Amino acid sequence: MHVTDDSTTPHDHVLGQRAAGGWMFLLEAARDMRTTGALAPSGRALAHALTEPVRSQAGRPLSVLEAGAGTGSVTSSLIHQLPAGSRLDIVEANPRFTGRLRDLVRTHPHLAGRSERIRVHEAYVEELDVRRRYDAIISALPFANFDPRQIEAIMGRYLELLRPGGLLAYFAYRGTRQARSLLPSRNQARRHRAAEEVLADYRRRYATGRSTVWANLPPADVWHLRRPAGSLPAASRTSAGAAAGW
């Protein structure tokens, strides 16, 4: 005789999704480490730090973009923090991840009757075709795996997509600089240094703060950047456009 267990709660469902997501993330990392960028999804502490730009602007409906959502570990935290009436665009280039993200949005207990305000885009963020501007952008893209031109294109696009005064949060694992210096290929080491210089330049111009999340595996630094009021500096528009081939 088959016995149906009706005791499963929405919380149990979310925990099951999280466990399955961890295995899926590991498999995708083995398949393509360059685009996945880690061996495990972001932990709760890292997700909390990344979503600070949403909490700091709470009290009104927000327009939010999440880039590089993976299996949705940050997405789940973000959904709980969105003020009423907010809109969320989720961007992920991996088709296996986007399928999971759409399932997450459709079944998340916190989104009952509101999932139409959240959209999952299967695309690279620098190629995202949207007309709206965002109050906050949460980025989990693996910048350590990108070359300088890709980083220029992505960061330039972020600034274009942000409203004046809008906030961007992204993270970098601690210790990657030392690890990359041990690479046998000098070309790889030079690429990594050049990529770090691009990010450092954006931080010098736009950063408002940094926090270190020691509770993540591996530990990570979370950077917060703010788009200035008014027009972007010409250098930002030119370098980003050239890197993206616009």
Side-chain angles (χ1 to χ4, degrees):
M1 179 177 66
H2 177 71
V3 178
T4 301
D5 182 4
D6 294 325
S7 62
T8 301
T9 66
H11 180 66
D12 294 330
H13 180 68
V14 171
L15 289 177
Q17 285 188 320
R18 186 176 296 152
W23 281 109
M24 186 178 188
F25 202 96
L26 182 61
L27 291 172
E28 289 303 307
R31 186 196 307 268
D32 189 355
M33 187 66 185
R34 179 172 177 80
T35 56
T36 305
L39 291 177
S42 301
R44 291 183 181 180
L46 180 54
H48 184 78
L50 281 170
T51 52
E52 168 60 25
V54 173
R55 293 191 300 279
S56 69
Q57 301 181 81
R60 62 185 177 91
L62 299 176
S63 182
V64 180
L65 173 67
E66 182 190 4
T71 58
S73 59
V74 176
T75 310
S76 294
S77 177
L78 188 54
I79 286 172
H80 282 284
Q81 299 178 57
L82 288 175
S86 296
R87 302 191 67 92
L88 172 63
D89 283 325
I90 304 167
V91 184
E92 172 56 56
N94 185 314
R96 288 167 289 276
F97 286 164
T98 53
R100 177 178 172 80
L101 289 164
R102 291 188 177 106
D103 288 341
L104 171 65
V105 171
R106 187 177 64 253
T107 62
H108 198 288
H110 194 69
L111 290 177
R114 298 189 298 126
S115 60
E116 75 282 353
R117 302 187 70 83
I118 299 180
R119 184 178 177 187
V120 178
H121 304 260
E122 187 178 314
Y124 293 102
V125 68
E126 62 269 38
E127 299 171 356
L128 181 64
D129 183 16
V130 293
R131 296 187 180 275
R132 70 171 54 98
R133 294 296 177 263
Y134 299 96
D135 300 293
I137 296 178
I138 311 303
S139 175
L141 291 175
F143 282 132
N145 292 356
F146 296 161
D147 65 41
R149 287 172 59 86
Q150 289 174 302
I151 295 174
E152 281 278 15
I154 293 167
M155 293 296 285
R157 185 61 173 145
Y158 282 162
L159 288 174
E160 288 182 341
L161 289 170
L162 280 171
R163 290 174 177 163
L167 298 171
L168 162 68
Y170 79 90
F171 76 94
Y173 292 125
R174 292 184 64 88
T176 56
R177 178 179 299 179
Q178 293 83 351
R180 300 281 175 160
S181 67
L182 301 176
L183 290 172
S185 169
R186 291 184 178 180
N187 288 336
Q188 287 179 302
R190 281 196 296 267
R191 178 193 64 78
H192 184 68
R193 285 196 298 271
E196 277 292 311
E197 289 171 3
V198 171
L199 288 171
D201 184 53
Y202 277 95
R203 292 195 295 264
R204 281 190 293 269
R205 286 185 281 168
Y206 305 113
T208 61
R210 183 191 73 175
S211 60
T212 300
V213 182
W214 296 104
N216 195 67
L217 184 65
D221 288 329
V222 175
W223 291 91
H224 294 160
L225 282 64
R226 184 186 301 274
R227 173 176 168 161
S231 301
L232 287 173
S236 296
R237 296 193 302 269
T238 302
S239 62
W246 299 335

